[in-house]
Amino acid sequence: MQAGGKSAECVGKLLMASSGKIFISYLMMAAIPFIISSTMMGLYWGLFSDAAYYNDNAGASMNKDTNTFDWCGIVTPSMSGITFGDTKWTVVFTLNAITYTLLTVFTIALALSAFAWPLAFCGCAGACCSQMLHLATIIVTGVFRYSKDGKKCAEQAIPINENKLTFVDVGDRMQGLFIAQCVLFCFYGCCLGFLL
């Protein structure tokens, strides 16, 4: 009887000693998806802000309902003989910004579930659903960036703000973000799966 009590005590000590290490590894694995999603969130909200700034300034000379950013600075499709259409880049920026905001919130909920376990339900349900949205967002980004209109818009050297940011720069940034999203998607999912 005495030997059984001592072994249970040893097992208890080992569990207590390893729980700190498990907790630290849990938080480290939470940091990776948090860094990825919060960085992407900030970059896409920045692109959304640039597009909104351009539309606000261009809207002073025309109807406010016209989204000139999606038309690459062209007020109407028939101007200047350019015939390409709506790129829907602001849709891409909005969708990505919202998706990565949700992913950031659910990653924080999963990380905080180590302290308050009810957050695990919110974090798990949200992470599972938002991962489907994450994949769809990556596909939509690629489709609109590499569409015929998106390629032509990425060649326009029209400045969109006072910092001389052009549609070429925005197209290059979208391309870089799309490639990063494709590369980091599996890595993000694996780290998030560890938390679930």
Side-chain angles (χ1 to χ4, degrees), residues 95-169:
L95 180 62
N96 275 284
I98 291 171
T99 299
Y100 283 108
T101 300
L102 289 172
L103 288 171
T104 301
V105 168
F106 294 132
T107 301
I108 291 170
L110 284 172
L112 292 178
S113 69
F115 301 107
W117 65 268
L119 288 173
F121 296 117
C122 176
C124 287
C128 290
C129 294
S130 62
Q131 275 301 95
M132 291 182 268
L133 176 63
H134 189 192
L135 179 61
T137 299
I138 293 171
I139 293 168
V140 168
T141 301
V143 166
F144 286 144
R145 169 55 184 92
Y146 295 109
S147 68
K148 184 176 87 171
D149 297 332
K151 287 179 183 178
K152 287 183 181 178
C153 188
E155 297 170 355
Q156 300 295 318
I158 301 168
I160 63 170
N161 63 17
E162 63 273 350
N163 296 332
K164 303 297 182 198
L165 184 71
T166 65
F167 286 103
V168 173
D169 300 326

Side-chain angles (χ1 to χ4, degrees), residues 13 15 25 48 66 71 77 86 90 114 117-118 129 138 161 166 168:
K13 285 181 182 178
L15 283 174
S25 65
F48 177 80
T66 305
W71 287 90
D86 188 3
T90 55
W117 65 268
C129 294
I138 293 171
N161 63 17
T166 65
V168 173

